[in-house]
Amino acid sequence: MNARAETIKAVARAEAGALSLVFRANPVPNPSSTLGGGYLTGVVQKGVVPALDGRELDEEGVGFGVPLIKRGPKTILPGSASLSVLKSGQGEIWTVEYDLNLLLRAGFGDRRSIDWPGFYWFQEGFSWLHRRYPRARGAVTRGSGLLRAFGYQPRLEVIPGAGVVRAVYTFPGSLETIHVDMSFRGVKGEGAQLVVASELGARFSRYRDSSGLHLEGSAIGTWDKVRADEASFISPADGLAFTLGQAGGAEMYRGRELSAGSLAWAGLAYVLDAGADSLSCNIRLGIPR
Amino acid sequence: MLVDVRLLATGNMLVQVALMAAVIVAAVLAKRKYLDRHCLVVRVAVVLQLIAIALVMLPSLLGYLTKESPGPFFLAETLVHHTLGLAVIALWVYINLAMRGAVKASGRLVGYMRAAFIMWLLSFLIGVHLYLVIWVWS
């Protein structure tokens, strides 16, 4: 590859006609950020975000190829990253080092965040119920809505870094496929569940996979295992689809949630097998087949 | 793995009797000002109850709501039983959050604790009746 020298950047953008890819590196985590359409994930260091005619398609989704870790009931996300860009005639290579320095917590109104571990285990239990029993989801969602009426809100707080995850995004000039290589070797400590999320907005309301499964809207579920070789999310409004395949050393899950003002995402996530510390996958963008 | 539903229900009934006894013990401990032990007993009882709800009672309820055709009185009784149970859990969470300053308690916490005890007792009694209706008297 005949490449120009690597440059450290804050924003990277690649364009191919109406489609473009964007990455914005947060130099420091900023929990007070008002970016991201007012969603909580606006604070998170997002991954590669596709845009159509300049309109970014992430909504509450975190973008493509974003690492996060779970330690028991604790979820740690990246709040900042460094980005370097290598360009060549064949395409571009974006190298990102995500700093895992945001902890998902909760609180009521202006009061300090809840520091009782039992509460987060309790919350994890409700998340499990939500995933395990589709018929109970309505009640769990209504309960969640009731809590919000009393001022309950999730929050992201800056913590000492739990480690650095290195991601390399490689794509050709046509932007048809993004190859992602991710390494979790920089994560501190052991026993964490490693996850790589690829999410865009809830406008991607149709799901198709290579086993012939077709789902729409709430039928997609919020966290269901994908057993097919390939899975796609389609935005009928934009005429765009993104497709991921199974990756060695990981299980793939699909989900979509839409709730006015708080949730608007659709996508796929890889949960790495115990002992695995790296992941490679391809994300295909294009017209739905 | 096939599960004997009657055995599961009977096992759960025995667990509920034990938990009710534990809650009564917790009330006595509180009355005698052994507050640390009171908190410990309640905490263990609630966690075990959550497990029983998630693994036995919730699937059973969902089964009755979607597959069975229970009479209206039976269905209402079941929903009251579950609502009381969930209210107990919600109160327990609220009490713990209030004790940690995460929420502002309206009034004295002991009032909420007594309400939780009464709701747990009522839910237990209704649960005993439901068990007898389903597994003993039918």
Side-chain angles (χ1 to χ4, degrees):
Chain A
M1 176 184 283
N2 215 3
R4 290 209 295 272
E6 191 167 314
T7 52
I8 305 296
K9 294 180 82 83
V11 180
R13 188 184 299 273
E15 295 180 358
L19 182 65
S20 57
L21 296 176
V22 182
F23 186 95
R24 291 194 179 80
N26 299 337
V28 291
N30 182 7
S32 307
S33 172
T34 54
L35 293 175
Y39 295 113
L40 181 66
T41 52
V43 174
V44 174
Q45 172 59 67
K46 294 201 177 187
V48 175
V49 175
L52 270 180
D53 295 319
R55 181 171 47 86
E56 293 175 22
L57 302 175
D58 51 340
E59 292 180 77
E60 197 234 337
V62 294
F64 291 149
V66 175
L68 60 101
I69 63 175
K70 279 189 71 74
R71 287 208 166 100
K74 292 184 185 177
T75 302
I76 301 172
L77 301 108
S80 55
S82 65
L83 163 70
S84 59
V85 173
L86 197 64
K87 294 191 181 189
S88 75
Q90 288 87 37
E92 297 191 26
I93 301 174
W94 295 354
T95 302
V96 176
E97 298 212 334
Y98 291 94
D99 198 345
L100 296 170
N101 51 20
L102 286 179
L103 175 64
L104 184 62
R105 304 250 280 179
F108 285 86
D110 296 332
R111 301 182 86 86
R112 61 187 171 82
S113 294
I114 297 165
D115 61 3
W116 172 38
F119 177 84
Y120 295 103
W121 278 110
F122 188 79
Q123 195 173 45
E124 190 69 14
F126 268 96
S127 294
W128 176 81
L129 270 178
H130 195 266
R131 295 190 298 266
R132 176 73 178 80
Y133 296 109
R135 287 173 293 180
R137 280 175 190 166
V140 174
T141 303
R142 279 191 291 276
S144 180
L146 186 63
L147 276 179
R148 285 180 198 271
F150 283 97
Y152 172 84
Q153 52 183 236
R155 298 168 185 166
L156 287 164
E157 294 184 350
V158 181
I159 58 168
V164 171
V165 177
R166 190 162 190 269
V168 179
Y169 306 94
T170 310
F171 47 88
S174 63
L175 307 185
E176 278 176 353
T177 305
I178 307 166
H179 180 75
V180 183
D181 287 302
M182 193 158 283
S183 169
F184 284 85
R185 293 188 187 102
V187 171
K188 296 176 187 170
E190 301 204 349
Q193 186 182 62
L194 311 176
V195 181
V196 178
S198 289
E199 304 169 353
L200 295 182
R203 61 198 298 112
F204 286 80
S205 57
R206 283 191 191 154
Y207 170 87
R208 302 280 187 271
D209 69 28
S210 53
S211 73
L213 185 60
H214 290 195
L215 298 167
E216 288 214 28
S218 58
I220 293 170
T222 58
W223 187 257
D224 292 312
K225 196 167 178 178
V226 175
R227 298 178 198 282
D229 292 333
E230 268 192 357
S232 303
F233 272 89
I234 300 159
S235 168
D238 301 306
L240 186 68
F242 65 93
T243 303
L244 280 75
Q246 295 287 352
E251 294 181 334
M252 188 157 72
Y253 292 81
R254 65 170 186 265
R256 178 180 179 272
E257 289 185 285
L258 178 61
S259 177
S262 59
L263 300 167
W265 68 274
L268 298 151
Y270 295 105
V271 178
L272 275 66
D273 297 339
D277 60 7
S278 62
L279 180 91
S280 290
C281 66
N282 290 319
I283 303 169
R284 207 167 62 238
L285 282 171
I287 310 297
R289 291 178 186 167
Chain B
M1 186 183 84
L2 285 178
V3 173
D4 185 327
V5 182
R6 177 189 284 267
L7 192 62
L8 199 60
T10 303
N12 182 55
M13 187 72 251
L14 294 173
V15 167
Q16 294 304 317
V17 169
L19 289 179
M20 193 69 245
V23 169
I24 291 170
V25 165
V28 170
L29 287 170
K31 194 92 174 142
R32 295 182 183 176
K33 307 291 184 205
Y34 294 117
L35 298 180
D36 285 348
R37 290 180 213 178
H38 161 81
C39 284
L40 178 62
V41 171
V42 172
R43 199 160 283 166
V44 170
V46 169
V47 168
L48 290 174
Q49 184 66 288
L50 284 168
I51 294 170
I53 290 171
L55 296 183
V56 179
M57 293 189 275
L58 179 61
S60 174
L61 171 69
L62 293 175
Y64 274 109
L65 289 178
T66 59
K67 291 179 186 165
E68 302 284 335
S69 301
F73 181 76
F74 177 85
L75 186 61
E77 191 183 0
T78 306
L79 289 175
V80 168
H81 165 73
H82 276 276
T83 302
L84 283 170
L86 290 176
V88 169
I89 304 295
L91 269 177
W92 176 74
V93 172
Y94 174 77
I95 289 164
N96 275 273
L97 290 176
M99 285 177 66
R100 284 165 172 77
V103 297
K104 188 174 158 64
S106 183
R108 293 177 65 216
L109 287 179
V110 69
Y112 295 99
M113 295 180 196
R114 286 183 182 137
F117 176 77
I118 291 167
M119 281 194 267
W120 194 317
L121 181 61
L122 284 173
S123 182
F124 171 75
L125 292 172
I126 296 173
V128 170
H129 182 254
L130 287 169
Y131 175 81
L132 292 171
V133 164
I134 298 168
W135 298 109
V136 178
W137 296 337
S138 62

